[in-house]
Amino acid sequence: MNDRKERIALLRKRAENKILILDGAMGTMIQKHTLTEDDYRGERFADWKQDVKGNNDLLSLTQPDIIKDIHLQYIAAGADLNGTNTFSATTIAQADYAMEDLAYEINFESAKIARAACDEWEAAHPGDVRFVNGAIGPTNRTASMSPDVNNPGFRAISFDQLRTAYKEAVNGLLDGGADTLFGGNHFRYAERQGRLVCD
């Protein structure tokens, strides 16, 4: 099923008739592969100026086959909604690796990989449509409290910066083929609000 509107209509109909199953954690599935720094870098980032091991979202660019296989495993296990490999794919979180300029691309490619896995499953199992759930994780900075106990009014990030970062992530996810969006693990109000109003 190639049309997003048709998929969303089907998703709504399916949700009225059954409990939809979310996939499981991407990070623990990635850990099973015991990837090295070189695996994370791939050819494209072989000469990157700092270590990138642990940047699981980057694997959508450097190890897309591994990410697709993880999606297919969850789909085969019965997942209706399959989350993209984008838990830390905002400009804010990617700045830890000096990769903030890759945030849109990571979101786009991650959604594209998940879409390809869902489409591959449907091609092999006609009528068994699965859905791409664009994952939007928390940032590693907070606008709701100070990281400096000596300066309680200080904020490491502004609400507008959060909104801008989430908007870029959402655009990449939707452009890449996500059917739905899922914000997970946000425990601070300002971050949740920034995600919701990213226009």
Side-chain angles (χ1 to χ4, degrees):
M1 184 173 292
N2 295 324
D3 183 71
R4 178 184 283 142
K5 287 182 181 178
E6 287 180 20
R7 287 194 308 267
I8 291 172
L10 177 62
L11 176 63
R12 287 181 175 162
K13 184 176 180 182
R14 194 177 289 178
E16 290 174 359
N17 297 305
K18 69 172 268 192
I19 295 172
L20 298 177
I21 307 296
L22 290 171
D23 64 353
M26 181 65 71
T28 51
M29 294 292 278
I30 288 170
Q31 287 175 2
K32 290 181 179 182
H33 290 273
T34 60
L35 299 173
T36 66
E37 175 70 25
D38 288 340
D39 293 327
Y40 273 83
R41 288 172 177 265
E43 290 182 27
R44 179 174 171 186
F45 302 101
D47 298 323
W48 199 252
K49 55 192 168 189
Q50 68 186 73
D51 290 347
V52 297
K53 185 177 178 183
N55 186 359
N56 288 346
D57 301 2
L58 180 64
L59 296 173
S60 293
L61 304 183
T62 61
Q63 302 292 335
D65 291 340
I66 288 175
I67 302 305
K68 183 179 177 187
D69 182 63
I70 292 170
H71 286 304
L72 287 169
Q73 289 179 59
Y74 279 127
I75 291 169
D80 296 294
L81 294 161
N82 296 277
T84 54
N85 181 39
T86 50
F87 188 77
S88 300
T90 60
T91 52
I92 297 161
Q94 286 299 311
D96 284 356
Y97 301 95
M99 292 183 156
E100 54 268 51
D101 291 342
L102 298 172
Y104 175 88
E105 182 182 0
I106 291 171
N107 282 282
F108 178 84
E109 293 299 329
S110 295
K112 210 166 128 184
I113 293 166
R115 171 89 277 132
C118 290
D119 291 348
E120 183 177 315
W121 177 266
E122 185 184 354
H125 305 85
D128 189 4
V129 179
R130 303 302 175 94
F131 306 93
V132 176
N133 201 17
I136 309 166
T139 66
N140 50 3
R141 296 196 187 116
T142 176
S144 58
M145 59 198 291
S146 176
D148 182 355
V149 295
N150 296 312
N151 186 359
F154 174 74
R155 297 297 181 263
I157 193 163
S158 72
F159 179 81
D160 286 339
Q161 288 171 309
L162 283 169
R163 186 178 64 188
T164 299
Y166 285 129
K167 181 176 182 178
E168 182 174 21
V170 166
N171 286 340
L173 291 168
L174 293 175
D175 291 347
D179 299 308
T180 60
L181 300 172
F182 177 76
N185 294 7
H186 293 264
F187 64 93
R188 298 178 192 101
Y189 175 75
E191 283 74 17
R192 284 195 309 266
Q193 187 181 23
R195 186 182 68 229
L196 290 171
V197 299
C198 66
D199 300 336

